[in-house]
Amino acid sequence: MRTQVGIVGAGPAGLMLAHLLSLQGIESIVIETGKRTDVEHRVRAGVLEQGTADLLDACGAGGRMRSEGVVHDGVVLRFRGEDHRIDLGALTGRGVTVYGQQEIVKDLIAIRLRDGHPILFEVSNVQLHDIKREHPWISFLLDGASIRIDCDVIAGCDGVDGVSRDSIPKRSLTTYSRAYPFAWLGIVATVAPSAADIVYCHHERGFAFLSTRSPAVSRLYLQVAPEERIGDWPDTRIWEELETRLAAHGWSLHDGPITGKGITSMRSLVVEPMQFGRLFLAGDAAHVVPPTGAKGMNLAIREAGILAEALTMWFRTGDISPLDAYSARCLRRVWRAQHFAWWMTSMLHRFPDSDASQVQLQLAQLDYTVNSPAAAKSLAENYVGYEWASE
Ligand SMILES: Cc1cc2nc3c(=O)[nH]c(=O)nc-3n(C[C@H](O)[C@H](O)[C@H](O)COP(=O)(O)OP(=O)(O)OC[C@H]3O[C@@H](n4cnc5c(N)ncnc54)[C@H](O)[C@@H]3O)c2cc1C
């Protein structure tokens, strides 16, 4: 097989890149280790920055997002049992759209298959070759057969546990990594959201988070210890703990059947640069952001946009400068997102070594953030997605 761009991974980054390239008449083949149904049902992120929603719209993939997603123009910080609303709309003129990552994946797969472009699911033993040379290639197994795809460029969009990042010699990468001393227990429940806005809650027993997926489906999280096992959290215990942490004056939590639950570790990772020869990394293959800032999927989709633009220029005109600038342009956004996620995480979570004075410092920061227009605006412009005036 031969293609212009070999894309490893059918998550948001890989599928978005494939779609944007096809709109420019550039061929690609997407390979994916998972089954189509599994990829389409992975419940993960769901908060889209305005720029991400705009990009989905602009490339014709935003139809269902616009009809089924919910636009939020505010976000609530809850502490000492009281709500403080950050008015994203008034402070920035923009908002966020809540629409599940798995729905975006479904939409992009449907578009690609409708357009007759290939996605090869359930591949195994994926290996990247000659990535430093002009003719890189990918080998893998599909239905027991060995397959080789010759490419001009490979896009490594295979997430944090993929093979692309590890195909780059370690000495050529700088890795920044940090593990947080807690995890998030997340649930999906068939119940109308208990609040009109997304709620980030500081509590002495640990952080709690209330979000939505649709008018009838809620997504909630609890900070837990990293070694917690989901088997130790029956549904009643989860609802009781959520009720305790989220308690607020004149407010009550609606519970309902839990349809999915899991524990995700909290960590951050960045590798630099995001390019090695003819291999370009995008999304979680290059970085992991703690979910507190809701940035992971946004970075993945926006990087697909930047890479598609650079590849289009190169294939059309031979100008390689946008491709050479790809890594630095993305990393500027990545570090902004990492800083925001770290800041939100530090302000809202209970650290194992937290003493009374650290809790007071967190509360002082929260108090300042919701009362100072400048501080509130800083949170708001990062939450809806900070756009650099010059890129
Ligand atoms: C368990 C989990 C829970 C998360 N929860 C949240 C959340 O609640 N809120 C939030 O804001 N963010 C969350 N995130 C982050 C967000 O979902 C990611 O940032 C986003 O999925 C990144 O998209 P991506 O396309 O880069 O990678 P992915 O979505 O990981 O897609 C990579 C794809 O590559 C495939 N793949 C892997 N290896 C190979 C290979 N060798 N060959 C071919 N294909 C391969 C994978 O099967 C996958 O389909 C979560 C992430 C994870 C992993």
Side-chain angles (χ1 to χ4, degrees), residues 226-301:
E227 62 278 6
E228 287 282 350
R229 289 171 313 156
I230 199 68
D232 295 331
W233 285 86
D235 296 1
T236 45
R237 184 180 173 201
I238 295 174
W239 285 117
E240 277 168 21
E241 191 63 29
L242 283 165
E243 208 164 332
T244 303
R245 295 192 197 177
L246 287 165
H249 303 299
W251 181 87
S252 58
L253 178 67
H254 310 156
D255 63 12
I258 294 179
T259 56
K261 57 181 169 180
I263 293 181
T264 311
S265 61
M266 288 275 283
R267 62 167 163 157
S268 84
L269 170 82
V270 180
V271 296
E272 293 188 12
M274 289 169 58
Q275 175 195 4
F276 181 76
R278 291 285 178 103
L279 170 65
F280 293 84
L281 302 178
D284 277 19
H287 43 73
V288 177
V289 191
T292 329
K295 295 293 168 218
M297 176 178 54
N298 288 292
L299 287 173
I301 290 177

Side-chain angles (χ1 to χ4, degrees), residues 46-239:
V47 178
L48 306 183
E49 295 175 348
Q50 177 103 36
T52 307
D54 291 346
L55 183 58
L56 286 164
D57 264 341
C59 70
R64 210 158 62 88
M65 171 197 70
R66 285 296 172 212
S67 61
E68 295 178 21
V70 181
V71 175
H72 288 262
D73 61 2
V75 63
V76 165
L77 295 181
R78 181 174 290 179
F79 55 98
R80 294 194 184 104
E82 287 187 1
D83 282 356
H84 305 266
R85 187 170 192 269
I86 306 281
D87 192 331
L88 304 173
L91 290 161
T92 67
R94 296 185 293 154
V96 294
T97 301
V98 172
Y99 185 64
Q101 172 171 331
Q102 74 280 11
E103 304 305 326
I104 295 178
V105 165
K106 277 182 207 156
D107 295 343
L108 289 169
I109 289 175
I111 290 174
R112 185 157 178 88
L113 298 181
R114 178 201 68 196
D115 294 347
H117 300 306
I119 307 178
L120 307 179
F121 289 101
E122 298 182 65
V123 304
S124 59
N125 198 22
V126 177
Q127 290 177 35
L128 312 188
H129 308 268
D130 292 342
I131 53 177
K132 193 74 176 150
R133 302 192 174 175
E134 273 190 29
H135 300 292
W137 52 286
I138 307 172
S139 65
F140 56 93
L141 295 175
L142 178 62
D143 295 332
S146 277
I147 302 202
R148 168 177 172 145
I149 305 179
D150 290 291
C151 320
D152 294 319
V153 165
I154 297 174
C157 305
D158 46 354
V160 65
D161 298 318
V163 295
S164 298
R165 189 175 63 251
D166 289 344
S167 305
I168 301 175
K170 285 213 166 15
R171 64 180 180 282
S172 300
L173 288 179
T174 304
T175 302
Y176 302 87
S177 161
R178 159 190 288 231
Y180 286 86
F182 34 74
W184 273 20
L185 186 161
I187 62 164
V188 182
T190 312
V191 58
S194 305
D197 291 314
I198 299 166
V199 178
Y200 286 81
C201 179
H202 178 278
H203 190 272
E204 60 188 16
R205 291 176 64 83
F207 170 71
F209 180 51
L210 172 69
S211 179
T212 71
R213 280 297 177 268
S214 75
V217 177
S218 297
R219 179 94 165 119
L220 299 106
Y221 294 92
L222 285 168
Q223 173 191 348
V224 294
E227 62 278 6
E228 287 282 350
R229 289 171 313 156
I230 199 68
D232 295 331
W233 285 86
D235 296 1
T236 45
R237 184 180 173 201
I238 295 174
W239 285 117

Side-chain angles (χ1 to χ4, degrees), residues 4-5 17 20-21 23-26 153 280 304-326 329:
Q4 288 173 288
V5 184
L17 177 63
L20 292 170
L21 291 175
L23 291 177
Q24 299 300 329
I26 297 167
V153 165
F280 293 84
I306 296 170
L307 186 54
E309 205 180 286
L311 285 169
T312 302
M313 180 71 92
W314 183 57
F315 280 119
R316 285 219 181 123
T317 69
D319 180 0
I320 201 157
S321 54
L323 273 181
D324 287 342
Y326 168 75
R329 198 173 157 195

